[in-house]
């Protein structure tokens, strides 16, 4: 699956790996960066690599919540209202440029992302698992964008930034795309059944009490940090452990070690945190860099648990 992603994303192994981790951990992914660096391409490649139903929603200022969730339409033949599912009824939903829609439309995804269901006109419609939202957004300084509310950002397991490719990766991109886009030849390498097996395998990865306490110590430190106005939520704690399990599995281990947690702290927790006004004003990007630096400082200051082997069954 990782090889499949790297066929269309040159020089972005870290971003592709994080996208794969979120997929197997049953989370939602937020890809944020300037236009033209491959945000939508990564989302489409991830969706294409899995043999599941896929839908794409282009978020615009005039998009309505009913366009996302669905609407009840009166059937004149049966003399009854009939529910027409919206674009969210798919296993993988690509929400392209999500912050170009109004906050009202953005909020239509809140129930879907947390409870995997849609409530329309008093009726609840379940969404078929697995259900994953891969959203892209432009930085908040771009024109015509609306900042995502804290409640919605918290529902995303991870936020990644693509960044500009280096010179060699950009040259490789030019060479590979002379005759066409690699997306045209991309095929699914995992079906829904195999994906479910991967998810079950990740769930079974062992996390010791010591590592769990280590995660909790890091998250609780974000809630008392002087540069943070809002720390990470308990949902962030759960997401950090689930993502660390997948990372351990990708590295061929049946247990999580502190290094797995440390590598994921920034992409899993940073977007949930709100910096103080002073920290945000001292750093470009609304305090994003300050938050990442402070998180790395918290990790460095948190005592690492002793390395103990997993007890025998």
């Amino acid at each position: 699956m990782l090889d499949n992603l790297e066929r269309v994303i040159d020089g972005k192994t870290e971003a592709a790996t994080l996208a794969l981790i979120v997929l197997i951990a049953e989370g939602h992914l937020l890809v944020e960066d300037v236009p033209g660096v491959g945000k939508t391409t990564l989302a489409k490649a991830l969706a294409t690599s899995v043999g599941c139903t896929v839908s794409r929603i282009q978020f615009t200022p005039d998009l309505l919540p009913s366009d996302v969730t669905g609407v009840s339409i009166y059937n004149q033949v049966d003399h009854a209202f009939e529910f027409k599912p919206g674009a969210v009824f798919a296993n993988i939903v690509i929400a392209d440029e999500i912050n170009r829609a109004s906050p009202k439309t953005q909020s239509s995804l809140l129930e879907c992302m947390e409870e995997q269901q849609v409530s329309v006109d008093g009726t609840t419609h379940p969404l078929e698992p697995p259900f994953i939202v891969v959203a892209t957004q432009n930085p908040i300084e771009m024109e015509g964008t609306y900042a995502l509310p804290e409640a919605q950002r918290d529902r995303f397991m991870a936020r990644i930034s693509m960044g500009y490719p280096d010179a060699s990766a950009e040259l490789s991109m030019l060479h590979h795309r002379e005759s066409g886009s690699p997306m045209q030849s991309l095929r699914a390498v995992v079906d829904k059944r195999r994906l479910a097996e991967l998810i079950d395998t990740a769930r079974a990865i062992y996390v010791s009490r010591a590592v769990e306490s280590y995660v909790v110590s890091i998250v609780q430190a974000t809630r008392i940090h002087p540069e943070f106005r809002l720390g990470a939520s308990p949902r962030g704690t759960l997401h950090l452990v689930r993502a660390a399990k997948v990372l351990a599995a990708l590295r061929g281990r049946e247990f999580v070690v502190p290094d797995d947690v440390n590598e994921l702290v920034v992409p899993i927790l940073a977007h949930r945190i709100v910096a103080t006004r002073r920290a945000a004003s001292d750093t470009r990007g609304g305090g994003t860099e300050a938050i990442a630096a402070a998180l790395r400082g918290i990790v460095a200051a948190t005592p690492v648990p002793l390395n103990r082997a997993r007890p025998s069954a």
Side-chain angles (χ1 to χ4, degrees):
M1 292 176 69
L2 186 59
D3 290 342
N4 218 37
L5 294 178
E6 291 184 328
R7 287 177 57 191
V8 296
I9 303 294
D10 295 297
K12 296 298 177 183
T13 302
E14 182 179 355
T17 302
L18 281 168
L20 184 59
I21 288 172
V22 172
L23 174 68
I24 300 176
E26 298 180 282
H28 306 292
L29 179 66
L30 180 62
V31 188
E32 180 185 81
D33 217 316
V34 296
V37 293
K39 302 188 301 295
T40 305
T41 302
L42 174 62
K44 291 171 63 178
L46 183 66
T48 305
S49 298
V50 182
C52 299
T53 57
V54 180
S55 68
R56 176 179 174 179
I57 309 172
Q58 184 66 53
F59 279 70
T60 56
D62 60 347
L63 188 73
L64 298 176
S66 58
D67 297 328
V68 177
T69 59
V71 64
S72 296
I73 299 177
Y74 185 73
N75 189 326
Q76 295 184 352
V77 176
D78 298 333
H79 300 288
F81 282 94
E82 180 180 348
F83 178 68
K84 296 293 184 181
V88 79
F89 282 83
N91 296 124
I92 299 179
V93 177
I94 302 174
D96 202 16
E97 295 188 311
I98 187 173
N99 63 335
R100 290 207 180 277
S102 67
K104 181 178 181 180
T105 302
Q106 291 176 11
S107 65
S108 64
L109 287 173
L110 290 176
E111 181 184 15
C112 309
M113 295 173 66
E114 179 64 19
E115 303 175 44
Q116 295 191 7
Q117 65 181 30
V118 172
S119 297
V120 178
D121 295 334
T123 303
T124 299
H125 306 272
L127 297 171
E128 181 184 1
F131 175 72
I132 299 162
V133 174
V134 182
T136 70
Q137 74 166 355
N138 295 310
I140 57 175
E141 291 84 0
M142 304 289 289
E143 292 186 12
T145 60
Y146 302 85
L148 294 182
E150 289 82 359
Q152 185 154 14
R153 291 205 309 269
D154 192 52
R155 281 164 167 76
F156 286 101
M157 175 173 282
R159 180 185 64 185
I160 63 175
S161 177
M162 300 296 294
Y164 290 112
D166 58 27
S168 60
E170 202 156 3
L171 283 171
S172 177
M173 179 189 70
L174 291 175
H175 175 71
H176 291 156
R177 304 195 181 209
E178 286 181 352
S179 57
S181 173
M183 282 295 303
Q184 297 174 353
S185 59
L186 205 64
R187 298 291 182 268
V189 295
V190 173
D191 58 17
K192 189 184 299 186
R193 180 190 61 81
R194 181 58 176 156
L195 178 60
E197 293 175 354
L198 295 173
I199 291 172
D200 289 340
T201 299
R203 286 176 177 172
I205 297 297
Y206 175 76
V207 184
S208 68
R209 289 287 186 181
V211 172
E212 288 178 344
S213 298
Y214 180 64
V215 172
V216 171
S217 297
I218 291 174
V219 174
Q220 290 194 338
T222 67
R223 300 168 188 166
I224 59 175
H225 197 279
E227 294 185 11
F228 297 162
R229 181 163 55 89
L230 177 66
S233 66
R235 186 188 285 117
T237 309
L238 294 171
H239 284 179
L240 184 55
V241 171
R242 283 164 52 187
K245 285 184 174 185
V246 178
L247 182 57
L250 290 177
R251 291 176 171 172
R253 281 186 275 102
E254 297 181 355
F255 54 91
V256 174
V257 297
D259 284 346
D260 299 327
V261 176
N262 295 346
E263 290 187 29
L264 295 170
V265 164
V266 173
I268 301 295
L269 299 184
H271 63 287
R272 309 170 194 271
I273 292 171
V274 178
T276 61
R277 184 171 300 178
R278 177 179 178 181
S281 62
D282 290 345
T283 313
R284 295 179 59 187
T288 302
E289 296 174 9
I291 290 172
L295 283 173
R296 287 189 284 268
I298 288 174
V299 170
T302 303
V304 179
L306 296 175
N307 184 18
R308 296 175 180 174
R310 175 180 176 176
S312 58

